[in-house]
Amino acid sequence: MRTPLPTAALPNANLYAALRAGFPPDLQAVAVETDSGLRYSWQDLDEASAMLANLLDSLHLPAGARIAVQVEKSVEALALYLATLRAGLVYLPLNTAYQSAEMGYFIADAQPAVVVCSGRNFGWVGKLAFNAGTAWVFTLNDDRTGSLLERASGMARQHTVAASAPDDLAAIIYTSGTTGRSKGAMLSHGNLLSNAQVLQKAWGWRAPAEGGDVLIHALPIFHVHGLFVAIHGALLSGSKMVWLSRFEPKTALRHFAQATVFMGVPTLYVRLLGEPGLTANAVRSMRLFISGSAPMLLETFTDWQARTGHAILERYGMSETVMLTSNPYFAEQGERRGGTVGPALPGVQLRVVDDAGQPVAGGAVGGIQVKGPGVFQGYWNMPEKTAEEFTADGFFKTGDVGRVDAQGYVTIVGRSKDLIISGGYNVYPAEIEGYINALPGVAESAVVGVPDADFGEVGVAVVIAKPGASLDAAAILASLKATLAGFKVPKRCHVVAELPRNAMGKVQKNLLRAQYAQATQL
Ligand code: MCA
Ligand code: AMP
């Protein structure tokens, strides 16, 4: 699949080269303004990423080396991402909520050459990394301190962007995928750039000469939404970002008065709707609200429209494919329909198939399969798993279930993969069940997703004790909390005598979902 490096005569397909070409002519203009009042110019971004890229170059890492990063959100972390791109290395972002068992898995699987972590985690992350053979562990804190910046401070402020071919890897994003353990989705410079360019056009990103955009960046930068969709859109169009270290509805609302674009998972919109200050006047300078990563309730769409006059633009994508569909931005391209994720983006082929893999007719519901320039290069070190997820004619099986109407609008109606999406984070029930089943006295467990007003969906654990053992639901949750990222811990746990099963003996999760949907709302 990999293509040879381009010769000097060919344009460089390195994503950073394209993003840099989008910077405005006035490099002294503000590129990023943080909620703590710091301002970074376009030149600052270029120079900081050059210094960090020079540091990475000085380590003489082999082509394709992974730079694993688990740090709090900061503009320096953004510079590190850009530096990794420009050095031609592979960026591997990791959720800050991951604890040692989770980090141990990712580090052992990805074998990163460099690990960058928060100073307060250096003890345990450094140990995991050195034990796994990582040569370099640096620290980076959200207050501009840490060994990474100390080492980079002596480096030159100029750097020649590495020559990359479109299929060269730019990033690995771990995702639960459709089944099995977490897998690293390998995304190339070409995957990311083509998607960024399509979205730039589709969402009408405005260059400074056209009046400019200001993006409120309120999402974490270790997943596709905050790292790629938001950042690439802003950089490619030379738009300023208002950089919020974490989402807090009042702070975001305050910034709406001087911004034009906002991106969020549905939970962010639900929480903003809880603010009495959310009015049409409060968002008067905004031109676009985008939602994705999880299904948005029609109620959220209509409430938002009633309060602000804006129709939220919902789009759909995956770590393996980046963005696939989007409701229209420009009115002449069609209306934005709540409850749908819009038509396939230009270049994306999307089809709906039945259980036999045959395309369905007349807008029927089935499995969604896709093909296009954003579709990834495969799962890291898992060629068989990669092959299983593609059809013979090269379509990727998303694991999402939906339908397409006569105008091409896609509606996601469910998932064939056993996955909970909670507040925009994916939780893989099999992983949680594995941890619960290993606890003393547990015979078996099932984790299901139930509706939740804030997070959209939350996990509920249903557990059976071994004969003679007695289990305490609160203690089970406490054990999980000590081991797993907080967002993965089920919000409640029920110890029961038996699980509902079908004739084949398989646990009927649909019955559990129905049974415990009510319990959560008590
Ligand atoms: C935090 N908690 C959660 C979640 N977040 N539980 C379930 N689901 C969550 N998403 C836990 C905390 O550990 C805490 O537990 C308790 O819930 C309350 O946390 P809270 O203070 O409410 O959380 P927060 O810090 O305000 O965070 C909520 C959040 C955050 C802002 C909605 O989860 C978030 O930023 N989500 C966005 C995720 C995202 O960017 N997804 C994009 C994936 P305790 O009290 O026990 O400690 S990219 C993707 O899917 C693709 C491809 C796409 O299409 O975009
Ligand atoms: P991830 O593994 O983080 O890449 O999550 C990708 C999954 O998020 C998709 O396969 C969908 O199930 C879900 N998803 C993303 N955007 C939407 C959306 N707008 N509506 C419904 N589900 C979505």
Side-chain angles (χ1 to χ4, degrees):
M1 273 220 210
R2 308 293 295 276
T3 51
L5 274 177
T7 65
L10 293 172
N12 188 357
N14 187 295
L15 172 61
Y16 183 76
L19 297 176
R20 177 65 183 80
F23 286 16
D26 177 9
L27 291 179
Q28 300 311 320
V30 177
V32 188
E33 190 178 322
T34 71
D35 46 5
S36 53
L38 297 174
R39 289 173 169 209
Y40 296 75
S41 67
W42 294 93
Q43 186 167 337
D44 291 337
L45 274 192
D46 194 47
E47 289 185 355
S49 61
M51 291 163 86
L52 289 164
N54 284 321
L55 169 59
L56 293 173
D57 284 353
S58 75
L59 306 179
H60 303 292
L61 304 174
R66 277 80 57 212
I67 314 297
V69 179
Q70 190 199 34
V71 296
E72 298 299 332
K73 186 173 176 179
S74 70
V75 180
E76 288 69 28
L78 164 61
L80 175 59
Y81 166 56
L82 299 177
T84 306
L85 292 176
R86 61 192 290 177
L89 299 168
V90 181
Y91 194 70
L92 198 168
L94 293 162
N95 195 321
T96 47
Y98 291 147
Q99 302 199 54
S100 70
E102 294 151 319
M103 288 295 286
Y105 170 78
F106 295 122
I107 290 173
D109 191 57
Q111 297 280 302
V114 175
V115 169
V116 182
C117 64
S118 309
R120 68 186 156 84
N121 293 339
F122 179 77
W124 64 271
V125 176
K127 194 167 166 203
L128 284 172
F130 290 132
N131 284 343
T134 296
W136 306 93
V137 181
F138 296 108
T139 59
L140 174 62
N141 304 313
D142 59 2
D143 60 357
R144 295 183 288 166
T145 62
S147 61
L148 184 81
L149 299 180
E150 279 163 27
R151 283 288 302 270
S153 64
M155 297 287 158
R157 289 165 192 269
Q158 287 79 36
H159 174 266
T160 306
V161 177
S164 304
D167 284 351
D168 285 346
L169 293 192
I172 294 181
I173 305 290
Y174 274 87
T175 168
S176 46
T178 48
T179 52
R181 61 205 171 100
S182 206
K183 298 177 282 292
M186 300 188 289
L187 292 159
S188 67
H189 288 263
N191 291 143
L192 298 178
L193 179 57
S194 60
N195 204 241
Q197 288 168 333
V198 162
L199 295 178
Q200 183 185 26
K201 215 168 157 193
W203 295 344
W205 279 97
R206 294 176 186 159
E210 298 154 347
D213 267 318
V214 177
L215 170 76
I216 298 182
H217 193 300
L219 289 165
I221 54 168
F222 38 69
H223 285 308
V224 163
H225 200 159
L227 183 63
F228 300 149
V229 185
I231 289 174
H232 295 168
L235 296 188
L236 204 54
S237 62
S239 297
K240 176 175 147 181
M241 284 190 270
V242 174
W243 192 256
L244 308 185
S245 50
R246 62 183 295 275
F247 173 73
E248 201 284 311
K250 283 192 173 46
T251 313
L253 189 53
R254 200 156 22 90
H255 287 287
F256 282 161
Q258 0 40 289
T260 61
V261 181
F262 177 74
M263 294 187 194
V265 300
T267 300
L268 272 51
Y269 288 98
V270 169
R271 292 186 180 184
L272 280 161
L273 279 165
E275 289 298 320
L278 181 77
T279 59
N281 187 45
V283 303
R284 62 192 176 280
S285 66
M286 295 292 294
R287 69 172 183 87
L288 180 57
F289 291 96
I290 299 169
S291 176
S293 309
M296 188 174 61
L297 292 178
L298 186 55
E299 188 190 330
T300 308
F301 177 87
T302 50
D303 286 356
W304 191 270
Q305 200 161 25
R307 287 274 288 282
T308 68
H310 283 269
I312 296 172
L313 180 156
E314 189 172 0
R315 56 59 176 181
Y316 155 65
M318 294 182 74
S319 301
E320 290 94 332
T321 62
V322 282
M323 297 305 102
L324 294 164
T325 75
S326 171
N327 267 283
Y329 168 66
F330 295 103
E332 60 272 23
Q333 288 174 1
E335 59 170 339
R336 278 176 230 165
R337 289 193 204 151
T340 85
V341 293
L345 282 161
V348 174
Q349 292 176 62
L350 183 147
R351 69 186 183 195
V352 175
V353 301
D354 61 19
D355 289 346
Q358 293 308 308
V360 299
V365 166
I368 297 178
Q369 299 185 342
V370 295
K371 200 185 230 186
V375 176
F376 70 144
Q377 312 294 299
Y379 292 114
W380 170 255
N381 267 346
M382 290 188 185
E384 292 87 9
K385 188 70 209 161
T386 303
E388 273 171 34
E389 301 299 327
F390 282 88
T391 63
D393 59 348
F395 277 74
F396 176 66
K397 304 172 197 169
T398 64
D400 291 309
V401 175
R403 58 170 185 270
V404 184
D405 73 9
Q407 285 81 41
Y409 282 65
V410 178
T411 303
I412 314 278
V413 300
R415 295 169 214 130
S416 57
K417 49 195 174 192
D418 190 9
L419 174 72
I420 299 168
I421 305 184
S422 186
Y425 285 140
N426 289 1
V427 181
Y428 181 55
E431 182 190 5
I432 318 304
E433 289 159 5
Y435 280 99
I436 300 176
N437 295 347
L439 294 174
V442 172
E444 201 186 351
S445 64
V447 172
V448 292
V450 299
D452 180 78
D454 183 29
F455 289 123
E457 203 177 10
V458 292
V460 171
V462 188
V463 186
I464 302 182
K466 280 185 178 152
S470 93
L471 291 175
D472 174 24
I476 292 174
L477 293 180
S479 309
L480 293 178
K481 211 170 161 184
T483 318
L484 292 170
F487 67 88
K488 292 183 190 171
V489 178
K491 297 292 181 216
R492 59 184 64 222
C493 175
H494 301 271
V495 177
V496 300
E498 58 183 355
L499 294 170
R501 294 177 187 282
N502 64 14
M504 311 291 290
K506 196 168 179 271
V507 174
Q508 291 173 297
K509 287 199 164 180
N510 53 334
L511 296 185
L512 288 176
R513 273 183 217 111
Q515 187 177 348
Y516 291 102
Q518 286 316 106
T520 315
Q521 280 146 18
L522 286 179

